[in-house]
Each structure stands twice: as C-alpha cells, then as structure tokens.
Amino acid sequence: MKRLVVGLLSVVALAFAVPAAANPPVEEPILDVFTDINPCSGEEMTVTFVGSVLVHEHGERVIAIAQRTITTSDGFEGHGVDSFVDNGQVLRATLTDILTNEATGQRFRAHFEFVLDLATDTVRVDRGELTCLGP
C-alpha cells in the first residue's frame, strides 16, 4: 500500500511542477512505474500508470485531477482517477482504481484518502487499501 501512496504522491508532485495558470487548466502527462503487492495473490507486481493530469491553479490554490490507465506485470489492467486539492487550509488527495485480470477473472480495487490540515500540519485522514474483489 505504501508503494501505491508513493505513486499518488508522484502525481501530486506534478501538480506543483506546473507553472501558475489562470484558465484553462494545464494538462501534463503521467508516466509512473513502481512495485507493490497484488492483494489477490500476495506476490510482488510492477504497476505502470499512463495518463494525464489537469492542473488548475488560482494563486496559492491548486486543484489537480488525474485520469490514467494502469497495467501490472502479472496481467491486470484497468483505470483510475485521483484528485488533489490544496486550498491553503487543507490538502486533500483521493485515489480510486479498479483493475481486472481477464485471464484469471480476478479484480482488485485500490482506494486511498489523505487529508492534511495545513494550519497545524496535522494529518486528519490517512487510509487506504488494496482489496481483492475475487473473480
């Protein structure tokens, strides 16, 4: 799960790498490769995200929405969406992905939520999991 969080945070890093924009949002490509543990098999897998993130900045406020396709080295494919908001008071990130292995019929879901209170630098929410949904 922590490796999935690293993947999400790399997408978030893209949001800050984009220069300030008025309107419309700036689109940036996503390519991220990392390892994680398949929740259905317990085996290590390589995960590849390919897609794009739309980043909209209003002064110090940032909103980023990413859409991607996902493949794994053990035959899973799927898609996902994540969002990132920094309004100067709260930083919030969410991620939801669904992947299916056509050969085995197995599916799994990745879901992550993170909320940071920027005024106190306190993590309010930090939860997530990879869940095997079975065949």
Side-chain angles (χ1 to χ4, degrees), residues 5 37 83 109:
V5 172
I37 302 299
S83 64
R109 174 181 176 248

Side-chain angles (χ1 to χ4, degrees), residues 66-89:
Q67 296 188 355
R68 63 194 167 273
T69 57
I70 306 155
T71 57
T72 69
S73 57
D74 55 357
F76 284 78
E77 295 180 357
H79 57 87
V81 175
D82 65 66
S83 64
F84 172 84
V85 176
D86 177 349
N87 67 8
Q89 298 172 5

Side-chain angles (χ1 to χ4, degrees), residues 74-77 100-107 135:
D74 55 357
F76 284 78
E77 295 180 357
T100 302
N101 184 318
E102 292 294 327
T104 65
Q106 291 180 315
R107 298 179 309 131

Side-chain angles (χ1 to χ4, degrees), residues 64 97 106 122 134:
D97 300 320
Q106 291 180 315
T122 303

